[in-house]
Amino acid sequence: MDQALWTALAGRRNYPPRRLIAPGPDAVSLERIFEAAAQGPDHGQLQPWRFIVVPSARRADLGEVFAQALAERDPDSDETVRARAREKAFHAPCLVVAVLVDAPEANKVPAAEKLVSLGCAVQNMLIAAQATGYSSGLASGAAMGSQGMRDLLRLAPHERAICFVAFGTASEPRPPRERPQPADFVTTL
């Protein structure tokens, strides 16, 4: 294996969005990150995914979606808890939503395969971010499937928001975590 590729894979760390600070990727770096997404496997060339950038001008709208989703799940939540939910929208200098596109006319490919394709596109983005000098992480939560989120993102009926992909600069480096060994997860039939 190419040593540079192995170093990039082994050096990648997941940073929660709250641990990512400015600077985030500039327009050129973000374009390269999205180009990396397009290199993922895509059975049938369906492109069963898309990405939505959440600009800083729309973060307050996203925060309201988080607060409303929390209020729907927990009507007894107080304003302090809802304010913390709103604050999550302002974490990470660059925030992107990964969307699964499961178009009915593309049913020749199972939904699970489309989700794997999205996962590969996201992984390519994470590695590309690392290669361009940025840290990254994934976040999801109960608000992803809320009607408010669907409305904000203007999702079609056959689309589903899967997770947020956050990019920025790590506020502090994370040490490597112990990874499983292949013998822990590989068997032979």
Side-chain angles (χ1 to χ4, degrees):
M1 176 182 289
D2 178 81
Q3 188 58 40
L5 174 60
W6 180 250
T7 299
L9 289 172
R12 206 197 77 68
R13 306 282 182 268
N14 189 70
Y15 289 90
R18 71 180 178 280
R19 302 267 189 249
L20 295 172
I21 58 174
D26 60 20
V28 172
S29 296
L30 191 57
E31 183 71 16
R32 293 301 305 256
I33 289 167
F34 287 131
E35 288 171 356
Q39 305 310 310
D42 179 6
H43 182 194
Q45 297 179 328
L46 301 174
Q47 191 182 322
W49 39 260
R50 67 186 183 102
F51 298 95
I52 301 170
V53 177
V54 183
S56 55
R58 298 299 306 271
R59 297 291 184 100
D61 297 331
L62 179 61
E64 287 307 316
V65 167
F66 287 157
Q68 182 61 37
L70 174 63
E72 289 169 6
R73 286 190 318 276
D74 181 6
D76 295 329
S77 61
D78 64 19
E79 184 51 37
T80 302
V81 175
R82 290 180 189 173
R84 280 197 304 268
R86 281 184 197 93
E87 289 171 14
K88 291 179 182 180
F90 296 93
H91 296 162
C94 180
L95 197 58
V96 175
V97 182
V99 176
L100 175 66
V101 179
D102 191 10
E105 64 272 9
N107 283 337
K108 64 183 180 188
V109 175
E113 240 183 276
K114 295 171 191 171
L115 186 59
V116 168
S117 179
L118 170 61
C120 292
V122 169
Q123 178 67 12
N124 283 358
M125 291 168 65
L126 300 175
I127 296 299
Q130 170 102 358
T132 56
Y134 296 100
S135 297
S136 60
L138 304 179
S140 62
M144 295 306 295
S146 71
Q147 189 59 49
M149 186 69 75
R150 294 190 63 76
D151 293 344
L152 177 69
L153 300 175
R154 297 185 303 267
L155 298 180
H158 61 275
E159 294 181 318
R160 194 170 89 204
I162 300 299
C163 67
F164 288 98
V165 187
F167 302 104
T169 300
S171 57
E172 58 184 64
R174 296 184 84 176
R177 68 176 176 88
E178 188 171 327
R179 300 287 181 165
Q181 296 300 306
D184 297 335
F185 57 85
V186 177
T187 59
T188 302
L189 182 62

